[in-house]
Amino acid sequence: MKAAPFAYARPAALSDAVAELVDADGGGKVIAGGQSLVPVLAMRLARPTTLVDINAVTGLDALRTVGDRLEVGATVRQRRVEHAPESAQVPLLRLALPWVGHRELRSRGTVCGSLAHADPAAELPAVACCLDAELTLTGPEGERPVRAREFFDGAMTTALRPEDVLSAISFPVAGAREGFGFAEIARRHGDFALAGAAAHVRVDDDGGVSAATMTAFGVSDRPVTRDLTSLVRTTGGDQAELAGALDEVVREVVDTDGDAHASNGYRRRLLRALAARELAKAHRRAVRGTAEVES
């Protein structure tokens, strides 16, 4: 199939992009990398009246550290983030990006585009929620910040209004006593996850757990984040003990029905194993006090 007819705009300023969306009166759609949107257009699952291409908008290609935050503009490609020295300050991003599609897709796809598409089995929305990242939405009234954990309303549904552009996202830079873990199970590498877990642990100077967070994805209609500080503290970050202690959390978090690829029960078993392993890994990395992410 091919896409239904639409008007095409390629503004040079963010205000002009917003104006194009306002003029489209709910029928506009933003495109940057197009790795999610173009297949949807080709299958006519989306039929926008106007496609607003933001690749020529000045300033949206910024990738920079500002204070203790890493800012990623709307047209920054995933592959650039994967290899940029600045992104080493956000280890969870570096852990997750190799799981996103294939290299060729990441060369074109954008971080903000993946967030705006809001597939519940996608990796980057889970990273944003686990780190409590902040998104910048730009509309006719100007910019407004939205926490990632409040951005996703359901499958393919977000806080974006029809006249808004997701113009940037900022991630907190990791501290020396923080550790991270990320893994997923998919039918093939590059596929969306049957189940996945992103983990973050912070310890104090005495090695005690001061914060622990896990975000599950692929198991509900959106990324689901839980504070597991007390659980990681009482288990001492031991993987086997964590696996046993996660039963109740997993039962609550996995609320998707079974499908042709995996049953509800199978997804629960996957998530329990992944979450225990990645939380234990994050705890070890936090205790070591290094930024390494390889082991």
Side-chain angles (χ1 to χ4, degrees):
M1 293 183 70
K2 60 182 180 180
F6 53 79
Y8 175 77
R10 188 177 170 88
L14 186 54
S15 58
D16 292 338
V18 172
E20 292 284 356
L21 293 171
V22 171
D23 288 345
D25 194 23
K29 198 74 177 173
V30 173
I31 188 168
Q35 298 307 290
S36 299
L37 179 58
V38 169
V40 170
L41 293 175
M43 291 185 284
R44 299 200 173 191
L45 297 175
R47 299 185 182 211
T49 57
T50 303
L51 205 58
V52 181
D53 183 345
I54 60 172
N55 282 291
V57 173
T58 304
L60 294 187
D61 60 348
L63 174 63
R64 61 193 175 194
T65 304
V66 179
D68 60 353
R69 313 284 297 187
L70 176 70
E71 292 187 355
V72 182
T75 59
V76 176
R77 311 297 168 188
Q78 295 160 2
R79 186 79 171 153
R80 180 180 166 198
V81 177
E82 189 176 351
H83 293 283
E86 296 92 335
S87 64
Q89 301 171 94
V90 186
L92 189 57
L93 259 182
R94 298 286 281 261
L95 285 169
L97 276 165
W99 295 91
V100 178
H102 301 281
R103 181 180 59 190
E104 292 75 12
L105 297 179
R106 298 196 296 276
S107 295
R108 188 65 189 165
T110 64
V111 172
C112 287
S114 177
L115 297 167
H117 187 62
D119 192 302
E123 296 82 1
L124 294 177
V127 170
C129 288
C130 188
L131 296 178
D132 203 15
E134 184 175 285
L135 286 68
T136 300
L137 312 188
T138 303
E141 299 85 18
E143 294 182 351
R144 69 180 195 279
V146 177
R147 292 178 58 192
R149 294 175 190 175
E150 299 169 353
F151 179 70
F152 302 99
D153 292 334
M156 317 294 186
T157 308
T158 70
L160 274 171
R161 300 173 303 184
E163 63 272 23
D164 287 338
V165 175
L166 171 52
S167 51
I169 180 171
S170 76
F171 299 93
V173 169
R177 308 291 284 177
E178 294 180 79
F180 303 89
F182 186 96
E184 68 180 40
I185 299 292
R187 295 178 65 240
R188 299 168 299 187
H189 179 75
D191 285 3
F192 285 114
L194 298 176
H200 168 224
V201 174
R202 184 172 60 241
V203 300
D204 56 31
D205 290 339
D206 298 325
V209 176
S210 58
T213 304
M214 185 273 292
T215 298
F217 60 101
V219 297
S220 183
D221 67 347
R222 71 197 77 182
V224 184
T225 303
R226 290 292 180 269
D227 183 343
L228 301 178
T229 304
S230 61
L231 189 148
V232 176
R233 185 181 294 149
T234 55
T235 59
D238 180 82
Q239 183 176 338
E241 290 191 38
L242 278 166
L246 280 166
D247 275 349
E248 184 177 344
V249 174
V250 168
R251 273 198 301 273
E252 177 212 350
V253 166
V254 181
D255 64 2
T256 186
D257 293 333
D259 54 31
H261 305 299
S263 67
N264 178 290
Y266 182 53
R267 283 189 163 92
R268 286 178 174 171
R269 291 195 295 276
L270 291 179
L271 180 61
R272 182 169 52 244
L274 290 171
R277 189 182 73 188
E278 298 310 311
L279 281 166
K281 202 179 291 183
H283 179 261
R284 287 197 302 274
R285 288 168 173 164
V287 171
R288 288 177 194 163
T290 67
E292 59 87 13
V293 297
E294 289 77 15
S295 60

mmCIF file of all heavy atoms in Angstrom, residues 28 42 72 91 97-98 101 109 112-113 124 128 138 143 145 168 195 211 218 238-239 242-243 254 276 278 280:
data_model
loop_
_atom_site.group_PDB
_atom_site.id
_atom_site.type_symbol
_atom_site.label_atom_id
_atom_site.label_comp_id
_atom_site.label_asym_id
_atom_site.label_seq_id
_atom_site.Cartn_x
_atom_site.Cartn_y
_atom_site.Cartn_z
ATOM 1 N N GLY A 28 -2.748 17.410 11.675
ATOM 2 C CA GLY A 28 -1.305 17.451 11.421
ATOM 3 C C GLY A 28 -0.562 16.331 12.126
ATOM 4 O O GLY A 28 -1.025 15.776 13.120
ATOM 5 N N ALA A 42 2.099 4.154 5.416
ATOM 6 C CA ALA A 42 2.011 3.256 4.261
ATOM 7 C C ALA A 42 0.848 2.280 4.392
ATOM 8 O O ALA A 42 0.237 1.888 3.394
ATOM 9 C CB ALA A 42 3.326 2.505 4.103
ATOM 10 N N VAL A 72 18.530 16.293 24.834
ATOM 11 C CA VAL A 72 18.495 15.674 23.507
ATOM 12 C C VAL A 72 17.376 16.321 22.709
ATOM 13 O O VAL A 72 16.206 16.226 23.075
ATOM 14 C CB VAL A 72 18.259 14.152 23.611
ATOM 15 C CG1 VAL A 72 18.274 13.515 22.223
ATOM 16 C CG2 VAL A 72 19.301 13.499 24.512
ATOM 17 N N PRO A 91 24.358 6.287 31.665
ATOM 18 C CA PRO A 91 24.670 4.895 31.300
ATOM 19 C C PRO A 91 23.459 4.073 30.863
ATOM 20 O O PRO A 91 23.593 3.183 30.015
ATOM 21 C CB PRO A 91 25.286 4.336 32.590
ATOM 22 C CG PRO A 91 25.814 5.530 33.313
ATOM 23 C CD PRO A 91 24.861 6.637 32.997
ATOM 24 N N LEU A 97 20.166 1.512 24.095
ATOM 25 C CA LEU A 97 20.087 1.838 22.667
ATOM 26 C C LEU A 97 20.455 0.670 21.735
ATOM 27 O O LEU A 97 19.821 0.513 20.685
ATOM 28 C CB LEU A 97 20.954 3.064 22.372
ATOM 29 C CG LEU A 97 20.237 4.386 22.662
ATOM 30 C CD1 LEU A 97 21.233 5.550 22.711
ATOM 31 C CD2 LEU A 97 19.161 4.665 21.611
ATOM 32 N N PRO A 98 21.430 -0.170 22.064
ATOM 33 C CA PRO A 98 21.712 -1.293 21.158
ATOM 34 C C PRO A 98 20.533 -2.257 20.982
ATOM 35 O O PRO A 98 20.509 -3.046 20.029
ATOM 36 C CB PRO A 98 22.901 -1.996 21.842
ATOM 37 C CG PRO A 98 23.568 -0.928 22.631
ATOM 38 C CD PRO A 98 22.444 -0.072 23.136
ATOM 39 N N GLY A 101 15.692 -1.692 17.674
ATOM 40 C CA GLY A 101 15.703 -2.045 16.258
ATOM 41 C C GLY A 101 17.060 -2.549 15.787
ATOM 42 O O GLY A 101 17.703 -3.372 16.442
ATOM 43 N N GLY A 109 16.244 6.923 13.057
ATOM 44 C CA GLY A 109 15.253 7.149 14.105
ATOM 45 C C GLY A 109 15.746 8.121 15.170
ATOM 46 O O GLY A 109 16.942 8.231 15.428
ATOM 47 N N CYS A 112 13.328 11.326 20.529
ATOM 48 C CA CYS A 112 12.023 11.934 20.798
ATOM 49 C C CYS A 112 10.921 11.292 19.957
ATOM 50 O O CYS A 112 9.773 11.185 20.412
ATOM 51 C CB CYS A 112 12.084 13.440 20.525
ATOM 52 S SG CYS A 112 13.023 14.351 21.779
ATOM 53 N N GLY A 113 11.245 10.855 18.750
ATOM 54 C CA GLY A 113 10.236 10.202 17.921
ATOM 55 C C GLY A 113 9.739 8.911 18.533
ATOM 56 O O GLY A 113 8.548 8.609 18.493
ATOM 57 N N LEU A 124 13.064 3.020 24.686
ATOM 58 C CA LEU A 124 13.377 4.369 25.152
ATOM 59 C C LEU A 124 12.309 4.966 26.072
ATOM 60 O O LEU A 124 12.653 5.688 27.021
ATOM 61 C CB LEU A 124 13.653 5.278 23.953
ATOM 62 C CG LEU A 124 14.921 4.885 23.175
ATOM 63 C CD1 LEU A 124 15.113 5.766 21.944
ATOM 64 C CD2 LEU A 124 16.149 4.961 24.075
ATOM 65 N N ALA A 128 13.241 6.497 29.788
ATOM 66 C CA ALA A 128 12.803 7.823 30.234
ATOM 67 C C ALA A 128 12.035 7.744 31.552
ATOM 68 O O ALA A 128 12.221 8.572 32.452
ATOM 69 C CB ALA A 128 11.944 8.478 29.153
ATOM 70 N N THR A 138 6.265 21.793 23.086
ATOM 71 C CA THR A 138 6.129 23.170 22.617
ATOM 72 C C THR A 138 4.844 23.303 21.808
ATOM 73 O O THR A 138 4.641 22.575 20.825
ATOM 74 C CB THR A 138 7.334 23.579 21.754
ATOM 75 O OG1 THR A 138 8.535 23.400 22.520
ATOM 76 C CG2 THR A 138 7.230 25.044 21.343
ATOM 77 N N GLU A 143 6.490 26.701 25.750
ATOM 78 C CA GLU A 143 6.980 25.413 26.240
ATOM 79 C C GLU A 143 6.290 25.022 27.543
ATOM 80 O O GLU A 143 5.958 25.881 28.361
ATOM 81 C CB GLU A 143 8.493 25.480 26.487
ATOM 82 C CG GLU A 143 9.317 25.677 25.229
ATOM 83 C CD GLU A 143 10.809 25.682 25.532
ATOM 84 O OE1 GLU A 143 11.168 25.712 26.735
ATOM 85 O OE2 GLU A 143 11.591 25.655 24.570
ATOM 86 N N PRO A 145 6.947 21.754 30.542
ATOM 87 C CA PRO A 145 7.642 20.519 30.888
ATOM 88 C C PRO A 145 6.654 19.447 31.344
ATOM 89 O O PRO A 145 5.648 19.743 31.996
ATOM 90 C CB PRO A 145 8.560 20.949 32.041
ATOM 91 C CG PRO A 145 7.805 22.063 32.693
ATOM 92 C CD PRO A 145 7.014 22.751 31.618
ATOM 93 N N ALA A 168 12.164 18.383 22.938
ATOM 94 C CA ALA A 168 13.412 17.922 23.574
ATOM 95 C C ALA A 168 13.078 17.034 24.761
ATOM 96 O O ALA A 168 11.939 16.998 25.244
ATOM 97 C CB ALA A 168 14.252 19.107 24.055
ATOM 98 N N ALA A 195 8.955 -8.894 26.976
ATOM 99 C CA ALA A 195 9.056 -8.336 28.327
ATOM 100 C C ALA A 195 10.451 -7.746 28.471
ATOM 101 O O ALA A 195 11.411 -8.259 27.890
ATOM 102 C CB ALA A 195 8.821 -9.410 29.398
ATOM 103 N N ALA A 211 18.110 4.266 47.029
ATOM 104 C CA ALA A 211 17.015 4.328 46.045
ATOM 105 C C ALA A 211 17.161 3.170 45.070
ATOM 106 O O ALA A 211 18.280 2.798 44.691
ATOM 107 C CB ALA A 211 17.041 5.654 45.286
ATOM 108 N N GLY A 218 6.608 -3.771 27.739
ATOM 109 C CA GLY A 218 6.152 -4.927 26.965
ATOM 110 C C GLY A 218 5.145 -5.783 27.712
ATOM 111 O O GLY A 218 4.737 -6.834 27.214
ATOM 112 N N ASP A 238 20.874 -9.395 46.260
ATOM 113 C CA ASP A 238 21.134 -10.774 45.843
ATOM 114 C C ASP A 238 20.100 -11.201 44.796
ATOM 115 O O ASP A 238 18.884 -11.117 45.037
ATOM 116 C CB ASP A 238 21.064 -11.701 47.057
ATOM 117 C CG ASP A 238 21.328 -13.143 46.671
ATOM 118 O OD1 ASP A 238 22.506 -13.506 46.559
ATOM 119 O OD2 ASP A 238 20.336 -13.889 46.470
ATOM 120 N N GLN A 239 20.575 -11.700 43.664
ATOM 121 C CA GLN A 239 19.666 -11.997 42.549
ATOM 122 C C GLN A 239 18.637 -13.069 42.896
ATOM 123 O O GLN A 239 17.448 -12.930 42.568
ATOM 124 C CB GLN A 239 20.479 -12.423 41.323
ATOM 125 C CG GLN A 239 19.624 -12.689 40.098
ATOM 126 C CD GLN A 239 20.444 -13.016 38.864
ATOM 127 O OE1 GLN A 239 21.626 -12.670 38.792
ATOM 128 N NE2 GLN A 239 19.845 -13.676 37.896
ATOM 129 N N LEU A 242 16.089 -11.653 45.246
ATOM 130 C CA LEU A 242 15.242 -10.695 44.527
ATOM 131 C C LEU A 242 14.186 -11.426 43.702
ATOM 132 O O LEU A 242 13.014 -11.015 43.681
ATOM 133 C CB LEU A 242 16.104 -9.825 43.613
ATOM 134 C CG LEU A 242 16.811 -8.635 44.267
ATOM 135 C CD1 LEU A 242 17.882 -8.068 43.336
ATOM 136 C CD2 LEU A 242 15.802 -7.558 44.623
ATOM 137 N N ALA A 243 14.579 -12.490 43.025
ATOM 138 C CA ALA A 243 13.629 -13.221 42.181
ATOM 139 C C ALA A 243 12.448 -13.727 43.008
ATOM 140 O O ALA A 243 11.291 -13.661 42.568
ATOM 141 C CB ALA A 243 14.341 -14.376 41.485
ATOM 142 N N VAL A 254 2.314 -6.946 35.353
ATOM 143 C CA VAL A 254 1.999 -7.589 34.068
ATOM 144 C C VAL A 254 0.480 -7.705 33.944
ATOM 145 O O VAL A 254 -0.139 -8.620 34.474
ATOM 146 C CB VAL A 254 2.659 -8.981 33.968
ATOM 147 C CG1 VAL A 254 2.345 -9.614 32.607
ATOM 148 C CG2 VAL A 254 4.165 -8.864 34.161
ATOM 149 N N ALA A 276 15.037 -9.285 38.416
ATOM 150 C CA ALA A 276 15.971 -9.711 39.472
ATOM 151 C C ALA A 276 17.414 -9.587 38.996
ATOM 152 O O ALA A 276 18.283 -9.083 39.715
ATOM 153 C CB ALA A 276 15.666 -11.155 39.878
ATOM 154 N N GLU A 278 18.697 -7.692 36.515
ATOM 155 C CA GLU A 278 19.152 -6.324 36.227
ATOM 156 C C GLU A 278 19.217 -5.470 37.487
ATOM 157 O O GLU A 278 20.074 -4.591 37.595
ATOM 158 C CB GLU A 278 18.242 -5.697 35.161
ATOM 159 C CG GLU A 278 18.273 -6.432 33.838
ATOM 160 C CD GLU A 278 19.700 -6.686 33.332
ATOM 161 O OE1 GLU A 278 20.504 -5.738 33.322
ATOM 162 O OE2 GLU A 278 19.992 -7.841 32.954
ATOM 163 N N ALA A 280 20.034 -6.709 40.445
ATOM 164 C CA ALA A 280 21.269 -7.176 41.083
ATOM 165 C C ALA A 280 22.491 -6.579 40.396
ATOM 166 O O ALA A 280 23.462 -6.164 41.048
ATOM 167 C CB ALA A 280 21.322 -8.710 41.045
#
